[in-house]
C-alpha cells in the first residue's frame, strides 16, 4: 500500500505532469494573442432539407491556426477560452465575422436567403452585453435576423434555466432563431423545454452515428424527433456520415441533415464551390 501511495506521489510530480502544465500555459499564452495575430478563421458546413436535399443553411465552425501549435481543434481550446474568459472577445469575433462573410456571399448572389448558424458559449449567454452586441452585429452586417440561428447546448440552458430563459427571450425578440445543440446529452427538464422560446433541436451526433447499429440509439433519435415535433420544433440530425443513415432519418421525419455524408466543414472558398456544384442538377441527383 505504501508502495502504491509512493508511486502515486511520484506520478504527481512526474515530468509528464510538468509537461501538461507547461502545454496548457503555452496554449493559454498563445490563445491570448490569437485574435490580435489574426489566427482564427471560420469553416462552413451545410445542412440540408431532409426531403428535398436542398441546402437550407450552414454552420460556422471556428478554426485556430497557430504558428507554434499548428491547427488546434475547437474541442481543445474552446473550454480553455471559457475558463479564461477569452471566449467573450473570441465569440464576438465569430459572430461578427460569420455574419459579415455570409452577407458578402449574399451580395455576390451565392447564398440567396440561406440560413447561418453560429455557436454561442455559456459565458456569452450569461453576458448582459450579449443582446446589445448581437443588435450591433445585425445592424452592421445587414443580415436579416430570421436568417441567423444561434446554437446553444442543452447543458448551457439547463445550467441556470431561469436566467437562460430570459436571455433566450431577449435574443428571440431581435428576430433570430434559436437551436438547442447536442440534444440528448444533457439533462433537459421537459417543463423548461416547453417554456424556452426555441425553434429547433439538433440531435447529438453520438446517437446519429450509431443509430443503424444500435437499436437504443435509434429509439432515442426517433423519440427526439417525435418530442420536437410535438413541441412544434424543427429537428436536425448532425453527424450524418452515410446515405443509409440519411434515408432512415428522412423516413423518421427528421427535418434537416448535417454531416460528412454531404460535406465536411470547409473554408469559405471551398464551401462556395460546393454550393455552386449543388445548383448543377446532375450533381444533385447523385446526392453529393
Ligand atoms: P458542434 O457545434 O456540435 O459542431 C459539430 C461538430 O461535429 C463539428 O466539430 C463538426 O466538424 C463535427 N461534424 C460534423 N459532421 C460530422 C460527421 O458527419 N461526423 C463527425 N464525426 N463529426 C462531424 P468541430 O468543428 O471540431 O467543433 C466541435 C465543437 O466545438 C462544436 O460542436 C462546438 O460545440 C464547438 N465550437 C466550434 N466552433 C465554435 C464557436 O465558434 N463558438 C463556440 N462557442 N463553440 C464552437
Ligand atoms: Mg453547433
Ligand atoms: Mg452538436
Ligand atoms: Mg458540441
Amino acid at each position: 500500500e505504501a508502495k502504491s501511495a509512493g508511486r502515486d506521489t511520484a506520478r504527481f510530480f512526474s515530468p509528464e505532469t510538468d509537461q501538461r502544465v507547461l502545454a496548457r500555459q503555452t496554449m493559454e499564452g498563445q490563445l491570448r494573442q490569437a485574435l490580435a495575430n489574426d489566427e482564427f478563421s471560420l469553416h462552413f458546413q451545410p445542412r440540408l432539407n431532409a426531403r428535398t436535399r436542398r441546402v437550407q443553411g450552414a454552420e460556422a465552425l471556428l478554426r485556430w491556426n497557430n504558428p507554434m501549435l499548428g491547427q488546434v481543434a475547437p474541442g481543445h481550446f474552446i473550454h480553455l477560452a471559457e475558463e479564461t474568459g477569452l471566449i467573450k472577445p473570441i465569440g464576438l469575433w465569430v459572430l461578427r465575422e460569420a455574419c459579415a462573410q455570409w452577407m458578402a456571399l449574399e451580395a455576390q448572389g451565392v447564398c440567396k436567403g440561406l440560413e447561418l448558424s453560429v455557436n454561442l458559449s455559456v459565458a456569452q449567454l450569461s453576458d448582459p452585453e450579449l443582446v446589445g452586441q448581437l443588435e450591433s452585429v445585425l445592424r452592421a452586417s445587414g443580415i436579416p435576423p430570421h436568417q441567423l440561428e444561434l446554437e446553444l447546448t442543452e447543458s448551457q440552458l439547463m445550467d441556470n434555466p431561469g436566467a437562460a430563459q430570459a436571455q433566450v427571450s431577449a435574443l428571440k425578440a431581435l428576430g433570430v432563431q434559436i437551436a438547442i445543440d447536442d440534444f440528448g446529452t444533457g439533462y433537459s427538464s421537459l417543463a423548461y423545454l416547453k417554456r424556452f422560446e426555441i425553434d429547433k433541436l439538433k440531435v447529438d451526433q453520438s446517437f446519429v452515428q450509431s443509430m443503424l447499429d444500435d437499436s437504443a440509439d435509434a429509439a432515442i433519435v426517433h423519440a427526439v424527433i417525435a418530442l420536437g415535433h410535438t413541441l412544434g420544433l424543427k429537428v436536425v440530425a448532425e453527424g450524418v456520415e452515410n446515405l443509409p443513415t440519411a434515408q432512415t432519418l428522412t423516413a423518421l421525419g427528421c427535418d434537416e441533415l448535417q454531416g460528412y455524408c454531404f460535406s465536411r466543414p470547409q473554408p469559405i472558398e471551398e464551401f462556395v464551390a460546393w454550393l455552386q456544384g449543388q445548383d448543377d442538377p446532375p450533381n444533385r441527383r447523385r446526392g453529393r
Side-chain angles (χ1 to χ4, degrees):
E1 238 183 58
K3 221 176 172 184
S4 84
R7 255 207 316 272
D8 284 347
T9 311
R11 200 182 299 137
F12 187 78
F13 292 106
S14 71
E16 296 94 273
T17 307
D18 291 346
Q19 261 167 22
R20 250 187 290 124
V21 171
L22 191 66
R24 195 201 133 100
Q25 284 170 350
T26 305
M27 196 183 278
E28 187 177 331
Q30 295 295 309
L31 193 58
R32 288 191 186 281
Q33 295 160 33
L35 265 183
N37 293 345
D38 200 22
E39 292 169 3
F40 291 120
S41 63
L42 296 173
H43 281 191
F44 293 87
Q45 184 183 35
R47 54 183 158 78
L48 284 68
N49 179 301
R51 280 163 298 274
T52 65
R53 298 289 159 88
R54 295 191 76 107
V55 186
Q56 183 82 29
E59 178 173 8
L61 292 155
L62 184 59
R63 295 293 178 262
W64 179 22
N65 188 15
N66 176 270
M68 183 191 254
L69 305 168
Q71 295 278 354
V72 191
H76 287 106
F77 70 85
I78 293 283
H79 66 96
L80 185 58
E82 276 167 355
E83 285 166 31
T84 54
L86 290 165
I87 194 68
K88 286 187 192 178
I90 295 171
L92 182 57
W93 180 88
V94 170
L95 203 52
R96 274 206 192 109
E97 193 64 25
C99 292
Q101 291 190 18
W102 205 246
M103 292 316 283
L105 295 189
E106 188 85 49
Q108 295 163 33
V110 177
C111 66
K112 301 149 240 124
L114 295 182
E115 297 164 352
L116 168 69
S117 303
V118 175
N119 295 283
L120 287 192
S121 91
V122 66
Q124 288 175 280
L125 187 67
S126 58
D127 184 353
E129 288 175 39
L130 176 66
V131 174
Q133 287 171 343
L134 179 61
E135 228 169 348
S136 66
V137 168
L138 291 172
R139 206 177 321 114
S141 66
I143 188 168
H146 67 268
Q147 259 174 267
L148 179 63
E149 179 174 275
L150 302 176
E151 296 191 359
L152 301 161
T153 64
E154 188 185 4
S155 36
Q156 287 171 326
L157 292 171
M158 294 304 155
D159 209 29
N160 185 350
Q165 194 187 337
Q167 189 75 310
V168 167
S169 296
L171 296 172
K172 280 297 295 177
L174 296 179
V176 300
Q177 302 195 57
I178 306 286
I180 303 192
D181 205 349
D182 304 344
F183 191 81
T185 58
Y187 301 90
S188 273
S189 145
L190 295 183
Y192 276 115
L193 199 58
K194 184 189 76 173
R195 273 194 264 156
F196 281 123
E197 293 176 53
I198 51 171
D199 303 281
K200 203 180 263 186
L201 299 180
K202 284 189 98 167
V203 191
D204 191 67
Q205 50 179 293
S206 59
F207 306 116
V208 175
Q209 275 160 18
S210 47
M211 64 180 282
L212 296 187
D213 313 313
D214 185 326
S215 61
D217 284 334
I220 290 171
V221 172
H222 199 159
V224 172
I225 294 170
L227 172 68
H229 288 170
T230 301
L231 295 172
L233 309 174
K234 287 231 158 98
V235 180
V236 189
E238 62 180 359
V240 182
E241 293 188 344
N242 52 59
L243 277 176
T245 305
Q247 279 151 2
T248 305
L249 286 160
T250 307
L252 288 174
C254 188
D255 300 285
E256 292 175 26
L257 309 173
Q258 180 177 344
Y260 293 172
C261 173
F262 306 105
S263 168
R264 288 183 177 254
Q266 306 183 84
I268 191 125
E269 300 78 20
E270 280 93 327
F271 171 72
V272 167
W274 182 90
L275 262 185
Q276 285 164 340
Q278 295 294 296
D279 287 337
D280 177 12
N283 279 346
R284 193 156 63 234
R285 251 181 276 131
R286 280 204 306 270
R288 298 242 90 229

